[in-house]
Amino acid sequence: IQLTQSPSSFSASAGDKVTITCRASQGVSRYLAWYQQKPGKPPTLLVSGASTLQSGVPTRFSGSGSGTDFTLTINSLQAEDLATYYCQQYKSDPPTFGPGTKVDL
Amino acid sequence: QVRLQESGPGLVRPSETLSLTCTVSGGSISHYYCSWIRQSPGEGLEWIGYFSYNGRTKYNPSLDSRVAISSDTSKSQFSLQLTSVTAADSATYYCARGSRIDCSGGTCFQGSFDIWGPGTVVTVSS
């Protein structure tokens, strides 16, 4: 299953509402996760099951969608949110990742 | 708090075997999926395979003929071997814990990756 993300990168300002989309080449139900990766660090899990926020993740992050179209939203972007965001499907093997969306100022 | 740490050579010669070990501390992940994932600028994030809680292995078809993942629970470690490497195998390699989901009838499936090691950079070059 191939995943595409849009946009591939963009610049935002602190306080902005940011929306990143992920589209799957075939339906993955809600078996979709979102990760945040900062330079030189491994990805960290933000959302699983399309919309379940992981413990400790700020509530300004939210995920939605099902089937083939998903969204990660960051309400009121903070400086520490500057990173690359990846979606990942685990509906079928092999699990696959999107190409990433880089968010910078 | 469970932590993962990759270790192994940072330089591997072409056609040789890449061998990495992931050491688990702060708890056990034997009830989960022990996965390897790699990341390169050209290929992005690629799942390599896992050693599962019930002793099974599964590999990415793109690497299936060259990869082996094993586990040594007595040492709290799991390992990756990738044979016949080329420059295309140069990447940052991560070990990660895959969650167990949709368990029924004694069978579970791998979900998202909730714990990652810091990663280790491997370069394939002569």
Side-chain angles (χ1 to χ4, degrees):
Chain A
I1 296 176
Q2 296 190 2
L3 301 176
T4 57
Q5 290 182 234
S6 60
S8 57
S9 67
F10 69 95
S11 296
S13 301
D16 284 352
K17 179 178 179 179
V18 170
T19 300
I20 299 169
T21 63
C22 176
R23 176 164 289 176
S25 60
Q26 58 187 273
V28 298
S29 185
R30 294 179 62 81
Y31 295 104
L32 194 286
W34 288 97
Y35 300 84
Q36 177 192 68
Q37 185 177 32
K38 297 182 179 180
K41 299 293 187 181
T44 58
L45 180 63
L46 298 174
V47 172
S48 64
S51 61
T52 301
L53 210 61
Q54 297 303 292
S55 175
V57 175
T59 55
R60 61 180 179 273
F61 290 91
S62 64
S64 64
S66 67
T68 60
D69 295 306
F70 300 86
T71 298
L72 175 70
T73 300
I74 310 172
N75 282 298
S76 189
L77 187 77
Q78 303 296 304
E80 61 263 31
D81 302 333
L82 301 180
T84 300
Y85 294 85
Y86 296 93
C87 56
Q88 178 238 331
Q89 68 79 23
Y90 46 95
K91 174 69 169 65
S92 63
D93 286 331
T96 50
F97 294 84
T101 295
K102 184 177 182 180
V103 178
D104 56 26
L105 287 176
Chain B
Q1 182 180 2
V2 173
R3 296 192 177 187
L4 309 180
Q5 179 69 56
E6 305 87 353
S7 59
L11 179 65
V12 182
R13 299 194 184 281
S15 80
E16 295 190 344
T17 296
L18 180 161
S19 296
L20 297 175
T21 297
C22 181
T23 300
V24 182
S25 61
S28 171
I29 65 170
S30 61
H31 299 292
Y32 296 87
Y33 293 85
C34 303
S35 271
W36 286 95
I37 297 164
R38 68 183 184 181
Q39 183 174 32
S40 61
E43 297 297 324
L45 287 159
E46 180 181 33
W47 175 75
I48 298 170
Y50 68 56
F51 188 97
S52 75
Y53 64 95
N54 58 2
R56 295 187 175 186
T57 55
K58 181 169 277 190
Y59 305 126
N60 193 318
S62 67
L63 299 167
D64 191 286
S65 62
R66 299 194 292 129
V67 66
I69 298 174
S70 59
S71 176
D72 186 340
T73 54
S74 67
K75 295 182 178 179
S76 296
Q77 293 178 334
F78 61 102
S79 299
L80 167 70
Q81 287 199 318
L82 184 66
T83 62
S84 304
V85 297
T86 69
D89 295 310
S90 297
T92 298
Y93 285 75
Y94 297 101
C95 55
R97 187 178 83 170
S99 59
R100 285 170 55 174
I101 62 169
D102 293 353
C103 297
S104 66
T107 300
C108 302
F109 296 89
Q110 179 176 240
S112 55
F113 304 104
D114 56 1
I115 301 174
W116 297 61
T120 187
V121 177
V122 178
T123 301
V124 178
S125 176
S126 55

